[in-house]
């Protein structure tokens, strides 16, 4: 079993964040004269995402720790289709949505 190196993981996460911030700033930049960006430029562009936590497979896309949460943009129901056309037990993560099984249509 390979040991987990948290220092490497955090350094790589920071590197990816800075790269994405740079590409985001380039994309948002409307000036034809592109100047080198500073770290404060990245923080300024990402300030609208401050205190927001991304949520996966939830009824909302993220939670905001400093303001109210956004309204859900995800559907209230989901169509589930299995290969064998049989109904399986609904996972607990789908408790907030109505599952419509393809075999019952």
């Amino acid at each position: 079993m390979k040991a987990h190196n948290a220092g490497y993981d955090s350094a790589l996460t920071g590197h990816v964040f800075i790269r994405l911030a740079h590409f985001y700033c380039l994309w948002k930049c409307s000036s034809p004269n592109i100047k080198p960006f500073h770290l404060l430029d990245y923080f300024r562009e990402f300030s609208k995402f401050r205190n927001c936590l991304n949520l996966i497979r939830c009824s909302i896309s993220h939670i905001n720790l400093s303001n109210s949460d956004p309204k859900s943009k995800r559907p209230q129901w989901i169509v589930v289709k299995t290969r064998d056309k049989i109904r399986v037990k609904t996972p607990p993560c789908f408790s907030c949505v109505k599952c419509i099984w393809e075999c019952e249509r």
Side-chain angles (χ1 to χ4, degrees), residues 5-92:
N5 189 338
Y8 177 76
D9 289 351
S10 63
L12 191 60
T13 301
H15 176 75
V16 169
F17 174 78
I18 294 296
R19 295 281 297 191
L20 286 173
H22 181 73
F23 289 129
Y24 184 75
C25 286
L26 280 176
W27 180 66
K28 296 284 284 182
C29 183
S30 59
S31 172
N33 302 328
I34 298 176
K35 62 175 179 62
F37 294 111
H38 297 281
L39 189 60
L40 292 176
D41 295 329
Y42 299 144
F43 288 151
R44 197 175 307 112
E45 284 296 327
F46 277 105
S47 65
K48 65 181 174 183
F49 303 114
R50 183 180 297 141
N51 291 328
C52 294
L53 295 175
N54 185 38
L55 299 175
I56 300 172
R57 297 183 182 169
C58 292
S59 61
I60 57 175
S61 61
H62 67 278
I63 58 174
N64 192 329
L65 300 175
S66 58
N67 291 319
S68 60
D69 293 336
K71 292 195 184 272
S72 176
K73 295 180 182 174
R74 297 191 177 159
Q76 293 295 317
W77 51 269
I78 185 169
V79 175
V80 180
K81 186 175 184 178
T82 60
R83 291 183 198 165
D84 330 7
K85 306 274 187 199
I86 57 172
R87 184 177 178 156
V88 294
K89 186 177 178 184
T90 305

